[in-house]
Amino acid sequence: MENNFEVIIMGGSYAGLSAGMALGRSLRNVLIIDNGKPCNRQTPYSHNFLTHDGKTPKEIGTIARSQVEKYSTVKFHDDVVVKTAKASEGFEVETASGKKFNAKKLIVATGVKDMHPDIPGFGECWGISVLHCPYCHGYEVKNETTGILANGDIAYEFSKMILNWTKDLTLFTNGKSSLTDEQTEKLNMHHVNINEDEMEEIQHENGQIQNIIFKNGRETPLKVLYAKIPVEQNLNISEDLGCELTEHGLLKIDVHQKTMVPGVFACGDSTTMMRSVANAVAQGNLAGAIVNKELVDEEFN
């Protein structure tokens, strides 16, 4: 494979493929590096994306890749990027298998890693009955016995949000509540239960929650649990190239998907808390267009 490209896209899920399509249609010489393991691969169905509502994530991804593969200037490499560095003309990318590639521009679409709490059953239910987004999955579990795993200000704000989908709601702080007295009073007024017991285990059947077991021996039945958990970047590009991160650990970008490092763009879950297929596709499309515009301007001058 030719090792020099105009653009290397790191990550080939929805955002990366969308950027790849925009660049392929712009006749750009592009390499997409991806290992085929998107973060939502355990999720049974994807929602809230026009024309694909209710399809499996794999089905949407397969269709997307087959369409991008039709553009002859876009190549694919099955691998994982482990290191990036500035080069004499652009950037060098190194993969886990030891391959090295060069490009004038980089697009980071590698997403984030969800940092699961140390609660048995949590990982098995993640994306199935332990959910991150009501816009993606809330309609399917509306009016069910619902929980939220969070604490403090984010728990308060998320509780307000989830009340739109169900009134049968319990906030699990998993330890002493850090809500203010005013927040607690407000939630009580709206009949949100607040449970401070520490979780021991999530009992489930094939990822479907049955009960929450607590360390004090109590248990409570539950159908769905929303969880606000921290994330980590899948690619440590902030240390490699100096890309800045936000307070939430996301790549800092401007309105054109540009990071703070010239020539490096980012799109998808690595940049935003709005983690949805529709948003990833939109960001990728914009990133591809802006990268092409930069290349056009540089070539014209």
Side-chain angles (χ1 to χ4, degrees), residues 253-277:
I253 55 171
D254 67 10
V255 294
H256 294 125
Q257 309 298 138
K258 298 180 181 181
T259 71
M260 303 301 109
V261 176
V264 181
F265 297 72
C267 53
D269 290 357
S270 60
T271 70
T272 177
M273 296 177 74
M274 288 293 293
R275 296 171 62 185
S276 70
V277 176

Side-chain angles (χ1 to χ4, degrees), residues 202-237:
I202 298 176
Q203 285 186 341
H204 66 95
E205 291 183 7
N206 299 318
Q208 297 291 342
I209 298 175
Q210 304 298 310
N211 296 288
I212 304 295
I213 309 299
F214 300 97
K215 292 184 178 179
N216 58 15
R218 296 174 183 167
E219 63 180 72
T220 186
L222 202 66
K223 288 289 187 180
V224 59
L225 178 70
Y226 289 94
K228 285 294 186 182
I229 58 176
V231 298
E232 274 186 0
Q233 292 288 326
N234 277 322
L235 178 63
N236 199 9
I237 198 164

Side-chain angles (χ1 to χ4, degrees), residues 120-180:
F122 186 98
E124 291 86 347
C125 295
W126 183 243
I128 301 172
S129 59
V130 176
L131 308 173
H132 79 288
C133 174
Y135 294 107
C136 296
H137 307 289
Y139 185 85
E140 284 64 43
V141 293
K142 60 185 182 296
N143 302 322
E144 294 284 8
T145 304
T146 302
I148 295 173
L149 177 58
N151 208 348
D153 291 341
I154 194 167
Y156 177 70
E157 293 299 325
F158 206 37
S159 296
K160 288 162 56 180
M161 174 74 71
I162 300 304
L163 277 171
N164 183 67
W165 280 270
T166 182
K167 304 305 179 188
D168 187 357
L169 182 61
T170 299
L171 172 61
F172 299 100
T173 59
N174 197 30
K176 185 174 176 56
S177 170
S178 56
L179 296 164
T180 66

